[in-house]
């Protein structure tokens, strides 16, 4: 989910400056009342009993906080783009851009983060040792509690309950967790009778040339596999994002391609290099919407639940005959706090059929 550590934030000089600033700030003193919470990495974190302001360490965490308690979110890692604004509730469209503490291209400015005066930092993604160390260092230097939350797709219900409890919104967290569990259960029940021979062989095409992909078992492609697709990008012993050659894609010869890059989507139909790939010959290349967040990835957070609904209906239309428009409208209302008007809904549906916004 996140591919690098926060280099700019973790400089010794930055931490020394943080320590000096915090020593002079009464705001960051220990709360009068607090609760101990065990995060996904097994760390015991002392969290204020009432959390008003949350700093999201990266894009996946920002979605998690927005979904659960948007009024607590201090800002977005990246400001919303024009085509994304209609799909976020109006009060939160203009939250400031604060940068990201973890992930590719970490951009957090220490002073900006501290000026947001968070009661809590939440990171949603990998809980490997690298990120445990980062969380411990940030928490020790800033005295701001820092929760590490497992971002694996199957762990989504547990993540909702964990963070919902920390934010005091347990009822909403439980309702959303049950919704995700019901979605998983419906999918698993339906796919249990589908033999491997009837499952699509799928390639995730990332980037304008389509030659970056996610290897089987990676957090970036687990939604494809969770929806019943067979990820053709297999490299034994490896996971994560990988550059591949066109010759390798031709050898895999997927019958389905999924992308979120409109440049690749438009080019692939007329590119002779891709013409012999089964997915192109059969017209089975699909463009994922990315408003307000990607349906497949970018980032891998709660947004993938919508992608799961979309992909399962692409992969197995006879087994999931219900209307995508109804599913989309219900998801955006339940999860993103927005009632889509006909124009906004139709733009999403057209996008999902390959027309970029």
């Amino acid at each position: 989910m996140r591919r690098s550590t926060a280099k700019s934030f973790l400089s010794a000089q930055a931490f020394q400056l943080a320590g000096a600033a915090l020593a002079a700030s009464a705001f960051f003193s220990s709360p009068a009342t607090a609760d101990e919470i065990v995060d996904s990495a097994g760390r015991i974190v002392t969290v204020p009993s009432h959390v008003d302001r949350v700093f999201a360490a990266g894009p996946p965490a920002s979605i998690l906080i927005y979904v659960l308690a948007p009024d607590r979110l201090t800002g977005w890692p990246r400001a919303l783009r024009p085509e994304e604004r209609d799909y976020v509730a109006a009060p939160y469209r203009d939250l400031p851009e604060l940068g990201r503490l973890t992930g590719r291209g970490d951009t957090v400015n220490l002073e900006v983060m501290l000026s947001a005066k968070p009661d809590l930092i939440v990171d949603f993604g990998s809980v490997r040792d690298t990120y445990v160390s980062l969380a411990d260092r940030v928490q020790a230097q800033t005295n701001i509690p820092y929760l590490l939350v497992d971002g694996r797709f199957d762990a989504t219900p547990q993540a909702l309950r964990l963070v919902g409890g920390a934010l005091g919104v347990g009822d909403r967290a439980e309702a959303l967790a049950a919704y995700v569990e019901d979605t998983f259960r419906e999918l698993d029940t339906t796919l249990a009778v589908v033999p491997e021979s009837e499952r699509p062989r799928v390639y995730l095409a990332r980037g304008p040339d389509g030659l970056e992909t996610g290897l089987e078992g990676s957090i970036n492609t687990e939604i494809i596999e969770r929806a019943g697709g067979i990820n053709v990008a297999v490299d034994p012993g490896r996971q994560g994002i990988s550059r591949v050659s066109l010759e390798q894609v031709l050898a895999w010869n997927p019958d389905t391609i999924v992308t979120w890059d409109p440049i690749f989507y438009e080019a692939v139909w007329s590119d002779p290099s891709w013409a012999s790939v089964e997915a192109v010959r059969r017209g089975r290349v699909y463009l994922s919407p990315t408003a307000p967040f990607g349906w497949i990835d970018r980032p891998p957070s709660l947004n993938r639940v919508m992608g799961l609904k979309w992909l399962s209906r692409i992969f197995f239309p006879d087994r999931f005959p219900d209307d995508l428009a109804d599913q989309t409208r219900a998801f955006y209302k339940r999860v993103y706090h927005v009632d889509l008007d006909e124009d906004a809904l139709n733009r999403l549906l057209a996008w999902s059929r390959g027309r970029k916004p």
Side-chain angles (χ1 to χ4, degrees):
M1 178 173 297
R2 294 154 309 179
R3 305 167 193 87
S4 66
T5 54
K7 298 175 184 177
S8 60
F9 186 90
L10 292 179
S11 68
Q13 181 180 12
F15 272 126
Q16 289 170 359
L17 291 172
L22 295 175
S25 174
F27 176 83
F28 292 99
S29 60
S30 298
T33 59
D35 299 311
E36 287 189 341
I37 294 178
V38 180
D39 71 7
S40 300
R43 301 163 60 250
I44 299 175
V45 182
T46 302
V47 175
S49 294
H50 186 78
V51 174
D52 287 318
R53 299 177 62 78
V54 183
F55 183 89
S62 70
I63 298 174
L64 180 62
I65 302 306
Y66 171 72
V67 166
L68 283 168
D71 59 314
R72 316 293 175 84
L73 186 63
T74 56
W76 299 106
R78 174 187 59 75
L80 296 177
R81 296 185 174 121
E83 67 271 19
E84 299 165 347
R85 293 174 59 83
D86 287 347
Y87 302 98
V88 169
Y92 313 106
R93 293 171 185 168
D94 295 312
L95 288 176
E97 179 172 321
L98 299 179
R100 53 194 295 168
L101 176 58
T102 60
R104 180 181 290 181
D106 48 281
T107 56
V108 161
N109 177 290
L110 183 61
E111 292 182 1
V112 170
M113 193 197 85
L114 295 180
S115 69
K117 299 183 178 180
D119 303 310
L120 177 68
I121 299 170
V122 173
D123 194 8
F124 185 38
S126 173
V127 294
R128 296 195 309 268
D129 289 347
T130 298
Y131 298 103
V132 172
S133 176
L134 170 63
D136 287 343
R137 292 176 65 184
V138 172
Q139 183 171 286
Q141 290 291 335
T142 64
N143 203 30
I144 304 170
Y146 190 129
L147 285 179
L148 268 178
V149 184
D150 187 351
R152 290 175 301 124
F153 196 35
D154 280 348
T156 299
Q158 297 94 302
L160 286 163
R161 292 182 174 111
L162 172 63
V163 178
L167 300 184
V169 291
D171 288 346
R172 174 159 175 79
E174 184 57 40
L176 288 169
Y179 169 67
V180 175
E181 288 170 339
D182 288 345
T183 301
F184 286 169
R185 189 178 303 111
E186 176 197 15
L187 182 67
D188 293 343
T189 300
T190 302
L191 295 184
V193 297
V194 180
E196 184 169 333
S197 61
E198 295 181 14
R199 299 187 180 221
R201 300 177 63 258
V202 186
Y203 174 74
L204 174 64
R206 295 168 53 107
D209 65 359
L211 294 178
E212 182 179 80
T213 194
L215 301 176
E216 181 187 43
S218 74
I219 204 164
N220 309 89
T221 57
E222 61 181 337
I223 180 178
I224 290 172
E225 297 147 24
R226 194 70 177 76
I230 298 171
N231 186 356
V232 299
V234 178
D235 189 348
R238 292 186 59 211
Q239 293 182 356
I241 299 300
S242 178
R243 287 287 299 177
V244 298
S245 66
L246 181 59
E247 290 72 21
Q248 180 62 75
V249 177
L250 295 173
W252 284 328
N253 196 27
D255 59 50
T256 305
I257 294 175
V258 178
T259 186
W260 58 74
D261 193 296
I263 296 175
F264 171 77
Y265 180 84
E266 289 187 357
V268 71
W269 303 108
S270 58
D271 188 335
S273 301
W274 289 80
S276 64
V277 177
E278 183 178 355
V280 179
R281 288 191 287 107
R282 293 176 57 188
R284 289 183 55 84
V285 181
Y286 299 97
L287 179 65
S288 165
T290 58
F293 317 110
W295 284 13
I296 301 300
D297 190 4
R298 299 191 71 184
S301 188
L302 270 292
N303 45 305
R304 292 182 292 175
V305 177
M306 184 62 235
L308 187 66
K309 293 176 178 294
W310 176 60
L311 285 182
S312 60
R313 285 153 183 80
I314 287 176
F315 294 167
F316 309 102
D318 295 338
R319 297 180 185 273
F320 296 94
D322 53 329
D323 187 52
L324 181 64
D326 292 341
Q327 292 289 326
T328 304
R329 191 190 298 276
F331 179 87
Y332 276 65
K333 182 174 183 178
R334 183 192 300 263
V335 178
Y336 292 156
H337 316 281
V338 289
D339 285 308
L340 296 179
D341 61 27
E342 287 301 311
D343 178 64
L345 177 62
N346 289 336
R347 273 184 279 138
L348 277 178
L349 296 178
W351 197 340
S352 73
R353 299 185 188 108
R355 288 190 223 155
K356 67 178 182 178

